[in-house]
Amino acid sequence: MKKILLSLLLISISPTFLLGQNATFDTNRLKRIEEWISSDVINKKMQGAIVMIADKNNIIYSFANGKSNIESNRSLKIDDFFKIASMTKVITTVAILQLYEKGVFDLDDPISNYLPELNNTKVLNPNPEKLEYIDAKKPVTIRLLLNHTSGYAYGGKRISKIYKENQIDFSNPKESNLEEFIKKMSSIPLVSQPGEQFTYGPSTDILGYLIEKVSNTTLETYFKEHIFNPLEMKNTGFNIYQKNSDKLVDTYIIKDNILILSKNTTSFDKGKKNTVYMGGSGLVSTTSDYLKFTQMLLNNGVYKGKKVLSRKSVELMQTDQLKGVLYPKGFNPILGKNNTFGLGVNIITESGSSNEFYSEGAYFWEGAYSTSFIIDPKEHFTAVFMTQMSGRETLRIRKNFRKLIYQALD
């Protein structure tokens, strides 16, 4: 199908196309993305969204529509800031692999070798009637933290009670820095034995602190010097939105069929600098900035001639790290039945791809407020989707994004 070449400078509320080198999309079918977003905005199922698609070098398509704030009637702009939540984890993963490449540590090293405060980590007794901690059968390693089989979990009836008792809040930490937060975490038990279950949780926050310890700088500074600057991600950071707080998109939720502002989201105080740099959820970014990051991964670690990560590290990220450990059933609707996890990303397997449009070997990750990306090495494209919706709508929104991207392939 014929592609239309336009300047990226023309990006606005209307769609924009650039000539890609590999991926080919049907321009008529791409309009279905616009129809979906516009319909959701009109029917108040979503306040607005931005989609961008690229190959290794160029933007192929972009579209934005809706509001960043419904109450003020502020239109969503292409350079608005989004809370990317768990999409932060993939950036932390890249930082860990950069340090691994330098020989700073081995992925199978126990985390306690570098964070001694985690040396005596215990495990909740699997018998819920026995409110006791038992010894871990083996140490928590850096690899287990990367693939979320460490045993650390965000929630669950018993562990949530323990978090509350210890005043641990992952969304709105009250500590003054990451070190204080991790010291609190040192008294928290695992919910399963290391390596035995996929337990999605604060493992990546611990990795963020590891980065701070071995690099002797803050996570914010490390990200900026080693990832954001090389990738020209000038609008990504833990406090970047404060330079223009009006551009921070508000989060909405549907309650009783009404689209309202969500109160249960990560707190971003527009007048107070964030100092607890959570490697698992704390970053703010723009759609185009995050697209540069995914383009780097699509191009095996290189962006505009600058090597941010080695090709072998990118391959490792895309390699099954669960080795037979299955996702909990609750994850199947989100990440796809029979898929697996690499380092920081969900990987589409052969059997998993048979359930959806996705290619085997494609990989993606998402954020709690409905942000998402996908990288498809086989089809030679990457796509990023940004909105700020919480609640039950998030699953429908994120799946629609990927489905509509794939149906448009030529």
Side-chain angles (χ1 to χ4, degrees), residues 186-379:
S186 65
S187 65
I188 301 300
L190 309 175
V191 300
S192 60
Q193 287 289 343
E196 293 187 1
Q197 293 181 34
F198 182 90
T199 52
Y200 193 55
S203 294
T204 319
D205 295 314
I206 295 170
L207 292 173
Y209 184 49
L210 171 64
I211 293 166
E212 290 195 341
K213 289 286 283 188
V214 300
S215 66
N216 198 31
T217 188
T218 66
L219 190 62
E220 179 182 51
T221 299
Y222 184 92
F223 280 170
K224 184 175 181 180
E225 292 180 354
H226 298 277
I227 299 176
F228 300 155
N229 285 348
L231 293 177
E232 302 173 14
M233 295 171 67
K234 298 178 181 179
N235 292 304
T236 303
F238 291 99
N239 292 289
I240 196 72
Y241 63 94
Q242 291 193 356
K243 69 180 184 180
N244 191 341
S245 59
D246 288 339
K247 289 169 57 179
L248 183 63
V249 180
D250 286 305
T251 306
Y252 288 80
I253 189 171
I254 294 176
K255 285 192 174 180
D256 300 323
N257 295 317
I258 299 173
L259 189 63
I260 61 172
L261 277 168
S262 175
K263 297 179 181 179
N264 298 319
T265 60
T266 302
S267 175
F268 284 79
D269 190 334
K270 296 180 179 180
K272 182 180 178 182
K273 184 178 180 182
N274 174 27
T275 58
V276 185
Y277 306 127
M278 302 292 280
S281 62
L283 287 173
V284 170
S285 187
T286 63
T287 315
S288 57
D289 258 22
Y290 207 89
L291 189 73
K292 295 172 184 176
F293 177 74
T294 62
Q295 279 182 290
M296 176 272 294
L297 292 174
L298 178 64
N299 200 30
N300 290 317
V302 178
Y303 180 77
K304 290 186 176 180
K306 290 171 283 190
K307 182 168 284 191
V308 175
L309 202 61
S310 74
R311 175 174 59 85
K312 298 306 293 184
S313 285
V314 177
E315 289 175 2
L316 189 62
M317 288 179 68
Q318 303 168 61
T319 303
D320 180 9
Q321 297 288 325
L322 296 188
K323 308 301 182 186
V325 174
L326 299 177
Y327 282 140
K329 288 184 179 179
F331 269 73
N332 287 342
I334 301 171
L335 303 178
K337 189 176 181 180
N338 298 325
N339 289 329
T340 191
F341 200 81
L343 299 180
V345 292
N346 180 56
I347 301 169
I348 309 299
T349 64
E350 180 181 5
S351 56
S353 65
S354 67
N355 296 322
E356 304 284 353
F357 284 147
Y358 320 140
S359 307
E360 180 186 358
Y363 56 102
F364 67 86
W365 203 239
E366 305 176 318
Y369 310 130
S370 304
T371 58
S372 185
F373 75 86
I374 189 161
I375 298 170
D376 192 324
K378 190 174 291 185
E379 295 287 350

Side-chain angles (χ1 to χ4, degrees), residues 373-403:
F373 75 86
I374 189 161
I375 298 170
D376 192 324
K378 190 174 291 185
E379 295 287 350
H380 310 291
F381 80 88
T382 178
V384 175
F385 175 83
M386 295 283 197
T387 188
Q388 298 283 252
M389 288 289 297
S390 61
R392 294 181 178 180
E393 286 295 295
T394 61
L395 177 59
R396 177 189 68 86
I397 289 170
R398 290 177 287 188
K399 291 191 76 171
N400 270 357
F401 153 63
R402 291 191 293 273
K403 178 172 62 178

Side-chain angles (χ1 to χ4, degrees), residues 110-167:
I111 189 65
S112 58
N113 287 3
Y114 307 93
L115 308 180
E117 51 265 62
L118 299 178
N119 190 44
N120 296 311
T121 302
K122 300 292 184 179
V123 182
L124 277 173
N125 192 314
N127 185 341
E129 295 181 1
K130 293 185 177 181
L131 301 178
E132 61 182 9
Y133 301 167
I134 59 177
D135 291 335
K137 296 177 182 178
K138 63 180 184 180
V140 172
T141 65
I142 296 170
R143 187 187 303 274
L144 298 185
L145 291 165
L146 283 167
N147 67 22
H148 290 283
T149 61
S150 64
Y152 285 103
Y154 276 136
K157 188 174 182 180
R158 289 194 293 167
I159 197 67
S160 294
K161 182 179 179 181
I162 294 170
Y163 286 144
K164 187 174 182 180
E165 290 170 349
N166 287 270
Q167 297 182 319

